[in-house]
Amino acid sequence: MKRTSILFAGLFLLMCVDLYGQNPNVGTSGAQFLKVPVGPRAIGMGGAFVSNANDASALFWNPAGIASVKENELFASYTSWWGGMNLSHAAFVNTSEDIGSFGVSMSLLTMGEMEVTTELQPEGTGQKFDAQDLMIGVSYARRLTPDFSVGVTMKFVNQRIWNETSSGLGFDVGTQYRVGIGNLTIGMSMTNFGADMKYDGQDLNVKYDADAQNPNNRLAPAKLATSDYPLPLHFQVGASMTVVNMDGMKILVAADAAHPNDNKERVNVGTEVAIMGQFFLRGGYRFGYDTETGTFGAGALASLGGSTVVFDYSYSLYNLLPNVHRVSVGLRF
């Protein structure tokens, strides 16, 4: 078991060494809303969450994590993003001791309306347009052994800009393995694996003049063709461990290495301090990102009848862009 632990640690360090490797596919994937992190608990720890995800927010990070949910759990989070955009996320997990854990999740990115402008009407045509991105996922996870769990998600992805839409299917798969040294856990996830997507809609219909030199020919109905674009495939592996475990206080540390298909490698590190099992302080840092840096967060549990209400908040620092607030509420019953 000790050799296994050393092997996992060595592989993790090798991934971290290549942190600043260049990726020739920067900016080539679409459906970027799938990359916007969900859940202030995870973000408060810098996004180092793939190995220690154990609540309904795990459906975003690593579907294997919902195998640790011992009861029904509802989760809802809200992120005020840039440029008037807002991301709302909701998830529900139900666990059956004999069958496994089932989950459903939804993410919705919305924006306000904007004026439609053209070359001839730069001040506006009187029309307005908006855009919306939607993800609906169905997940299943199960413990194959007391120390090893696996999970999978199938997701429907839809994007809309005015009258044009694009839809497709994606898949997430993840694992978590408790090594056996304390509560050292190794996690892995691959998210957003699926076929390319493509926009289509009524605004792509045009009239085509096959021979502009002939004034008597008829205009033929035609349609503009848009290019295919891939989903933002993302690999992440990490480790976490409780380094302090005493009466009234626990300290968890975690580190993840991430490899997206459209950018360079990144590393996330973070920690969570649990006080009396009811209050939580978190902090983290995100290495290799263009503008993201440190993160902070806090959380609290409150009993409500036979249920537990969970409140979480995180604050993310950016170099050039406005800082981002995230809030969430969960219900365990």
Side-chain angles (χ1 to χ4, degrees), residues 124-137:
T125 65
Q127 294 178 297
K128 293 186 177 181
F129 78 96
D130 66 349
Q132 176 180 286
D133 293 337
L134 172 68
M135 184 284 298
I136 299 176

Side-chain angles (χ1 to χ4, degrees), residues 8-10 24 26 37 53 55 75 80 96 99 120-121 175 191 270 301-302 325 333:
F8 274 115
V26 170
D55 55 24
F75 172 81
S80 179
S96 171
I99 302 176
L120 300 178
Q121 296 175 288
T175 61
T191 58
L301 306 180
H325 302 265
F333 59 98

Side-chain angles (χ1 to χ4, degrees), residues 142-162:
R142 183 177 177 86
R143 289 193 180 276
L144 301 183
T145 72
D147 295 322
F148 181 73
S149 59
V150 61
V152 62
T153 296
M154 181 178 69
K155 58 176 66 171
F156 169 75
V157 181
N158 177 267
Q159 295 189 278
R160 178 181 61 80
I161 302 178
W162 201 10

Side-chain angles (χ1 to χ4, degrees), residues 313-324:
Y313 167 81
S314 69
Y315 186 70
S316 301
L317 303 177
Y318 289 81
N319 287 327
L320 302 175
L321 297 167
N323 298 331
V324 173

